[in-house]
Amino acid sequence: MLSPTRTRALLLAAGAAIAGLLAGGLSAGVSHAADHEGCRPDGLYRTPGVDVPYCSVYDAEGREEMGADHRRRVIGYFTGWRTGKDGRPAYLANNIPWDKITHINYAFAHIGGDNRISVGADGPDNAATGMTWPGVAGAEMDPALPYKGHFNLLAKYKKQHPDVKTLISVGGWAETGGHFDGNGTRVSSGGFYAMATNPDGSVNQAGIDTFADSAVAFVKKYGFNGVDVDYEYPTSMKDAGNPLDWPTANPRRAGLVKGYDALMKTLREKLDRAGAADGRHYLLTVAAPSSGYLLRGMETYQMQKYLDYVNIMSYDLHGAWNEYVGPNASLFDDGKDGELAAAGVYGSRQYGGIGYLNTDWAYHYFRGSLPAGRINIGLPYYTRGHKNVQGGTDGLWGKAAATACPAGSGLTTCGDGAVGIDNLWHDKDDNGNESPAGSNPMWHAKNLEKGIVGDYVGRYGFPADTALTGTYVRKYDATLVAPWLWNAQKKVFLSTEDEQSVAAKADYVVDRGIGGTMVWEMAGDYAWNAAKGQYEAGSTLTSLMYDKFKTATPYGARKAGAAALPDRAVDVKVEFTDFKLGDSNYPITPKIKITNNTKAALPGGTEFRFDYATSAPDNASDQSGFAAMVISSGHTGTNVGGLKGDFHRVALKLPAWQSLAPGASVDLAFNYYLPVSTPSNWTVAVSGTTYALAGDLARGTTVVEPGDGSQPPTSPPPSSRPPTSPPPGGSCSNPAYVAGGVHTGGTVVSHRGRNWKAQWWTQNEEPGTTGDWGVWKDLGAC
């Protein structure tokens, strides 16, 4: 059954087609490609000349359709290796809580030495396409499909749950720069680095085309809804990503971002063309870094425009790769992060005291260039942890230095990672030994917390009579929104997630209009087995998010903030170029290249304005005489407890003596101190009229020539509109809103005949001007 919004979207598309026929069919002036434009998400790139069937996935507001009880995404990674064939607990498609989720990302496919997508050779041992599970209830194969394995079961269950979308995820930590062969041996060929970027740093377009063509054929063959790219990591920071990949990645660092951008553009265009032919929109998504260190080497993440949405890997923020003991995935900064303190972040005027190892910082980084609804925050269903922790508060922000690193890690200094019963989901080093990491499914962590030795420990190599040493006491920091287990006797710290932290993160998603959550990985969720008296794999945390989201308001679908952009746009192109590489790019000093693609000259003094994310402090500037200055700040001060707003707004002007002729370009040197994604929400004022820029790809805009009298003039920006009359209402007993005053979350004020509730800390944001997803919630007339 079609929902009302889907029906409306399809009717609008049909209406556009009928209008086109009445006006002369596909003759001059009528573009069939506009039929689905009303469903295109704000800011999403559309392949030129292709009628992309957005209305097969999105409604008339550009929001994804996921079923009536799914107002936000719950995306679960499903891994192909938990088959049960190794004697350890299986997690199969029948274990997925299909009614609680919206998307499944299958992990992983890889890129072979021939640059094609692959899950290995077909055969009965291939978990993706050939394996079967006789006697397992719910794991019976669908005989109508020509393949078996996980792909068969995913397709079978998707028939029963047609609102759930499946994507094939490519890469991952272990297979970004290589792949595993049929024997489980890692082969150092294939992967993203070599496929997308040549040894000299140039774009390998031939490799990209080969991969993209094979990916399109793959999703069609196995019935997936799209492609998820997990490339770890296309950054210019030296020695980033898997140390096994450094010999391939490091020589290419200067060109990795360009290769990544070309890869995303090519995938988008090939998926769009396939979707137009098939009558369905194919999704393109990524697992994106959350660390400010990694993102500093990824320019302005300019490939975001090609993505349906971004899944932020807002976890692995602390772990045994170094000595600093902290949360795996805290929501906020508390100003005490040991790693950041050691790097001098909190005492730096340039950094603004902003801590960048937390989910809130990462969300705001991407919010600078994407609508909130095209962002999903990541949650880990696994632990990270150290042993022999010294100092800190119950281990938090203490230190745990290792004496040696795992063989083959490529690292010279490591943290002292937890091992043994505190490291159930461990990897092995090159010598087959346990890699210390404190990695456990959350169900095992819950058993540790309760002092329970689960009956599964024998399958992980522990005797059935294993006894726990010490007591694992649950701790919680409300500022960070982070729980952990602290074993004072063993000095073991395990960073966890549970109902309290996940509920707080779900509320955060709802309150800010965020698209949803992404989970790595579903097999780590837990449930209580009363018959056995232990925790096992289940869906407690996923169900909690589902319950929070099913009655939520629709997510934020607009990229711009409180001030709406003009509905007319001009073709003036803006690019951020000439980024320095790696550790040489602090401060971050790219050039802004402005190119006038209109037919009219832009006179000297022409003013541009744009927003950049509050992930960086409000001290951006230029060094080229364009008088760039921050004219409004969405956040000032440290980010303890979270960033308060989404955008800083900058104004700059062409020098009075420098006009910009049609086709001409001009560069200015820009300067900022923490990473931001592509600055957006641009405007330019020409001859008294303010226009948007076509490059923002905003919904509902028409590209015109400056001063084109055939179009009606745009409305003045909200800040210059005459005040509206107060709406009707009775007397208001709540305190009146006072401009310039500080209002904390939960504060209720009256303004223009209505009551307003502050969702979070705010200053100088007038109630009624911040939009549906801004800080002020309209409580109605008073």
Side-chain angles (χ1 to χ4, degrees), residues 78-94 106 119-136 138-143 145-156 181-184 222:
F78 174 84
T79 58
W81 51 84
R82 304 200 188 283
T83 64
K85 299 294 185 179
D86 58 358
R88 296 180 180 182
Y91 192 90
L92 307 178
N94 59 301
Y106 180 87
V119 287
D122 287 333
D125 294 327
N126 187 306
T129 62
M131 196 172 285
T132 59
W133 292 269
V136 177
E140 302 84 2
M141 295 292 117
D142 182 346
L145 297 172
Y147 47 85
K148 297 181 174 65
H150 291 309
F151 289 1
N152 181 291
L153 295 181
L154 290 174
K156 182 181 81 169
D181 65 18
N183 297 318
Y222 293 112

Side-chain angles (χ1 to χ4, degrees), residues 614-699:
T614 51
S615 57
D618 62 345
N619 54 3
S621 60
D622 85 89
Q623 305 170 26
S624 305
F626 285 68
M629 62 181 296
V630 177
I631 58 174
S632 64
S633 297
H635 178 86
T636 58
T638 69
N639 63 325
V640 173
L643 293 159
K644 306 303 187 295
D646 296 336
F647 303 112
H648 304 302
R649 192 148 185 86
V650 171
L652 60 88
K653 293 182 178 181
L654 294 179
W657 48 267
Q658 183 170 14
S659 64
L660 198 60
S665 298
V666 65
D667 290 334
L668 68 142
F670 201 57
N671 184 79
Y672 52 99
Y673 293 90
L674 277 175
V676 297
S677 58
T678 308
S680 61
N681 306 326
W682 285 79
T683 60
V684 59
V686 182
S687 300
T689 301
T690 300
Y691 302 92
L693 297 194
D696 266 322
L697 303 171
R699 285 167 51 90

Side-chain angles (χ1 to χ4, degrees), residues 573-584:
K573 185 177 181 180
V574 179
E575 301 171 90
F576 285 73
T577 66
D578 294 352
F579 285 86
K580 296 177 183 177
L581 302 181
D583 289 330
S584 298

Side-chain angles (χ1 to χ4, degrees), residues 511 553 726-729 732 734 747-760 766-782:
D511 291 345
T553 52
C732 297
N734 287 306
T747 301
V748 177
V749 300
S750 61
H751 187 62
R752 296 188 179 277
R754 303 185 78 78
N755 287 319
W756 304 86
K757 181 180 179 180
Q759 306 280 59
W760 52 86
E766 181 183 358
T769 67
T770 61
D772 291 342
W773 308 109
V775 60
W776 290 107
K777 182 178 182 180
D778 187 355
L779 300 181
C782 57

